[in-house]
Coordinates of all heavy atoms in Angstrom, one line a residue:
Chain B
L454 N 154.6 47.4 68.2 CA 155.7 47.8 69.2 C 155.5 47.2 70.6 O 156.4 46.7 71.2 CB 155.7 49.3 69.3 CG 156.6 49.9 70.3 CD1 158.1 49.6 70.0 CD2 156.5 51.4 70.4
I455 N 154.2 47.2 71.0 CA 153.9 46.7 72.4 C 154.1 45.2 72.4 O 154.6 44.6 73.4 CB 152.5 47.2 72.8 CG1 152.5 48.7 73.0 CG2 152.1 46.5 74.1 CD1 151.2 49.3 73.1
L456 N 153.7 44.5 71.3 CA 153.9 43.1 71.2 C 155.4 42.8 71.4 O 155.8 41.9 72.2 CB 153.5 42.6 69.8 CG 152.2 42.0 69.6 CD1 151.9 41.8 68.1 CD2 152.0 40.7 70.3
G457 N 156.3 43.5 70.7 CA 157.7 43.2 70.8 C 158.3 43.7 72.1 O 159.3 43.1 72.6
G458 N 157.8 44.8 72.6 CA 158.4 45.3 73.9 C 158.8 46.7 73.6 O 159.7 47.0 72.7
T459 N 158.3 47.7 74.4 CA 158.7 49.1 74.2 C 160.1 49.3 74.8 O 160.5 48.6 75.7 CB 157.7 50.1 74.8 OG1 157.5 49.7 76.1 CG2 156.4 50.1 74.1
A460 N 160.8 50.4 74.3 CA 162.1 50.8 74.8 C 163.1 49.6 74.7 O 163.9 49.4 75.6 CB 162.0 51.3 76.2
R461 N 162.9 48.8 73.7 CA 163.9 47.7 73.4 C 164.3 47.9 71.9 O 163.4 48.1 71.1 CB 163.3 46.3 73.6 CG 163.2 46.0 75.1 CD 164.5 45.7 75.7 NE 164.5 45.5 77.1 CZ 164.5 46.5 78.0 NH1 164.5 47.7 77.7 NH2 164.5 46.2 79.3
L517 N 148.9 38.8 76.0 CA 150.2 39.3 76.3 C 150.2 40.3 77.5 O 151.1 40.2 78.4 CB 150.7 40.1 75.0 CG 152.2 40.6 75.1 CD1 153.1 39.5 74.6 CD2 152.3 41.8 74.3
V518 N 149.2 41.2 77.5 CA 149.2 42.1 78.6 C 149.0 41.4 80.0 O 149.5 41.8 81.0 CB 148.1 43.1 78.4 CG1 147.8 44.0 79.6 CG2 148.4 44.0 77.2
I519 N 148.2 40.3 79.9 CA 148.0 39.6 81.2 C 149.2 38.8 81.6 O 149.7 38.8 82.7 CB 146.8 38.6 81.0 CG1 145.5 39.5 80.8 CG2 146.6 37.7 82.2 CD1 144.3 38.7 80.3
F520 N 149.8 38.0 80.6 CA 150.9 37.1 81.0 C 152.3 37.6 80.8 O 153.2 37.1 81.4 CB 150.7 35.8 80.3 CG 149.4 35.0 80.7 CD1 148.4 35.0 79.8 CD2 149.3 34.5 81.9 CE1 147.2 34.3 80.2 CE2 148.2 33.8 82.3 CZ 147.1 33.8 81.5
R521 N 152.4 38.6 79.9 CA 153.8 39.1 79.7 C 153.7 40.6 79.4 O 153.9 41.0 78.2 CB 154.5 38.3 78.6 CG 156.0 38.5 78.7 CD 156.8 37.7 77.7 NE 158.1 38.2 77.6 CZ 159.1 38.0 78.5 NH1 158.8 37.2 79.5 NH2 160.3 38.5 78.3
P522 N 153.3 41.4 80.4 CA 152.9 42.8 80.1 C 154.1 43.6 79.6 O 153.9 44.7 79.0 CB 152.5 43.3 81.5 CG 153.0 42.3 82.5 CD 153.1 41.0 81.8
Q523 N 155.3 43.1 79.8 CA 156.5 43.9 79.3 C 156.8 43.7 77.9 O 157.7 44.3 77.3 CB 157.7 43.6 80.2 CG 158.3 42.2 79.9 CD 157.6 41.1 80.8 OE1 156.4 41.2 81.1 NE2 158.4 40.2 81.3
G524 N 155.9 42.9 77.2 CA 156.2 42.6 75.8 C 157.3 41.5 75.7 O 157.8 41.0 76.7
I525 N 157.6 41.1 74.5 CA 158.5 39.9 74.3 C 159.9 40.2 74.8 O 160.5 39.4 75.4 CB 158.4 39.4 72.8 CG1 157.0 38.8 72.6 CG2 159.5 38.4 72.6 CD1 156.6 38.7 71.2
F526 N 160.4 41.4 74.5 CA 161.7 41.7 74.9 C 161.8 42.6 76.1 O 162.9 43.0 76.5 CB 162.5 42.4 73.7 CG 162.9 41.5 72.6 CD1 162.1 41.4 71.5 CD2 164.0 40.7 72.7 CE1 162.4 40.5 70.5 CE2 164.3 39.8 71.7 CZ 163.6 39.7 70.6
G527 N 160.7 42.9 76.7 CA 160.7 43.9 77.8 C 161.4 43.3 79.1 O 161.7 42.1 79.1
D528 N 161.5 44.1 80.0 CA 162.2 43.7 81.3 C 161.2 43.8 82.4 O 160.7 44.9 82.7 CB 163.4 44.7 81.6 CG 164.2 44.3 82.8 OD1 163.6 43.4 83.5 OD2 165.2 44.8 83.0
K529 N 160.8 42.7 83.0 CA 159.8 42.6 84.0 C 160.2 43.5 85.2 O 159.3 44.1 85.8 CB 159.7 41.2 84.5 CG 158.5 41.0 85.4 CD 157.5 39.9 84.9 CE 156.1 40.1 85.4 NZ 155.2 39.1 84.9
K530 N 161.5 43.6 85.5 CA 161.9 44.4 86.7 C 161.6 45.8 86.5 O 161.1 46.5 87.5 CB 163.5 44.3 86.8 CG 163.9 43.8 88.1 CD 165.4 43.4 88.1 CE 166.4 44.4 87.6 NZ 167.8 44.0 87.5
E531 N 161.7 46.4 85.3 CA 161.4 47.8 85.0 C 159.9 48.0 85.2 O 159.5 49.0 85.8 CB 161.7 48.2 83.6 CG 163.2 48.4 83.4 CD 163.5 49.0 82.1 OE1 162.5 49.3 81.3 OE2 164.7 49.2 81.8
L532 N 159.1 47.0 84.8 CA 157.6 47.2 84.8 C 157.2 47.2 86.3 O 156.3 48.0 86.6 CB 157.0 46.0 84.1 CG 155.6 46.3 83.6 CD1 155.6 47.2 82.4 CD2 154.8 45.0 83.4
A533 N 157.8 46.4 87.1 CA 157.4 46.3 88.5 C 157.5 47.7 89.2 O 156.8 48.0 90.1 CB 158.3 45.3 89.3

Side-chain angles (χ1 to χ4, degrees):
Chain B
L454 174 63
I455 290 163
L456 265 170
T459 50
R461 286 287 176 276
L517 185 86
V518 169
I519 293 165
F520 294 108
R521 202 176 163 79
Q523 70 273 37
I525 289 159
F526 284 98
D528 184 348
K529 189 124 202 179
K530 233 168 52 186
E531 284 190 4
L532 202 79

